[in-house]
Structures are given as structure tokens and as C-alpha cells.
Amino acid sequence: MHIIQAADGDTQEVSERPIMTGGQVWRRPLTGKDTGVAEAFSFGIVQFGAGARTKMHRHTSDQILYVVAGIGKVGGPEGQHVVSVGDCIIIPAHEDHWHGAADTGSPMSHIALTGGDSATTLSE
């Protein structure tokens, strides 16, 4: 058993990554490399400043997003949806999508879970 305390780990600003747009974004992994689950899962909390979001992209594994704070948006080729605390978004592998705080005027945080070996590519 591993317990990762709230004070453990580092929150990293990831705003400059090519996948991000519109504002500041931070990510904090919620599993350490020494826990044995990092190979199976990528699991972390992502905090989007107001206006920030990802660009359209896809993953090679399914992705689950669970909103823990604020108001955000998720979208794809068919349109966009407003999401808020307690909403769960399931995105199948290879589906083009984006997510973040977008134009809601509110920051948004979600927990993101993907396969540990999942690759992400920009769709734009």
C-alpha cells in the first residue's frame, strides 16, 4: 500500500506545452513512479485558469475526466458541453476532443485518468 499525502508531489505549470491554449494550466501527478501503477495509469489533477483549455487532440487509450472544481467545457467535432463539479466525462480512444475552462469565466479543475502508455497527438 502507498499513501501519497496532499503535501507530497510537485505541481507543474504546463501552460507552455503545445497542447495548451488560452491561459495558465497546472498539473499534479497523483501517483508516484515508485507505486507500481504509473505503468498502467496516468492519473493526475489538472487546473485550468479562466480561459485556458487544451487544443483539439486525441489519445490512444480511453480517458476519464472528473470535474472537482469550477465550471469548464469539453468539446469535439459534434459540439461542446458545459461541465461542473461532479460531472464525469468518458472519452473513447482516438476520439478528437478538447477540455478546460474555455470561455466560462471560471477556473476549472479535473482529475484525468488515461492508460499509462497512452500517446497524445494534436488534431489541429
Side-chain angles (χ1 to χ4, degrees):
M1 177 185 304
H2 283 76
I3 298 172
I4 300 169
Q5 300 289 325
D8 294 344
D10 293 322
T11 299
Q12 305 159 344
E13 184 170 358
V14 294
S15 308
E16 297 302 319
R17 290 187 179 174
I19 195 172
M20 303 300 176
T21 187
Q24 291 185 297
V25 182
W26 300 266
R27 183 177 189 285
R28 179 175 179 246
L30 295 174
T31 54
K33 296 215 181 281
D34 61 343
T35 62
V37 298
E39 295 79 29
F41 304 106
S42 173
F43 182 61
I45 188 163
V46 184
Q47 301 164 319
F48 295 88
R53 68 175 183 89
T54 64
K55 295 177 183 173
M56 189 77 78
H57 64 283
R58 68 181 74 90
H59 307 281
T60 57
S61 76
D62 294 345
Q63 182 178 46
I64 300 171
L65 306 175
Y66 184 78
V67 182
V68 295
I71 300 169
K73 284 188 175 178
V74 296
E78 292 84 36
Q80 58 186 342
H81 306 276
V82 174
V83 293
S84 60
V85 175
D87 290 347
C88 184
I89 303 95
I90 301 168
I91 304 159
H94 309 289
E95 183 174 299
D96 290 336
H97 67 283
W98 59 268
H99 42 93
D103 59 357
T104 63
S106 171
M108 188 271 285
S109 297
H110 65 51
I111 293 174
L113 174 68
T114 57
D117 61 352
S118 183
T120 302
T121 55
L122 289 173
S123 305
E124 298 178 306

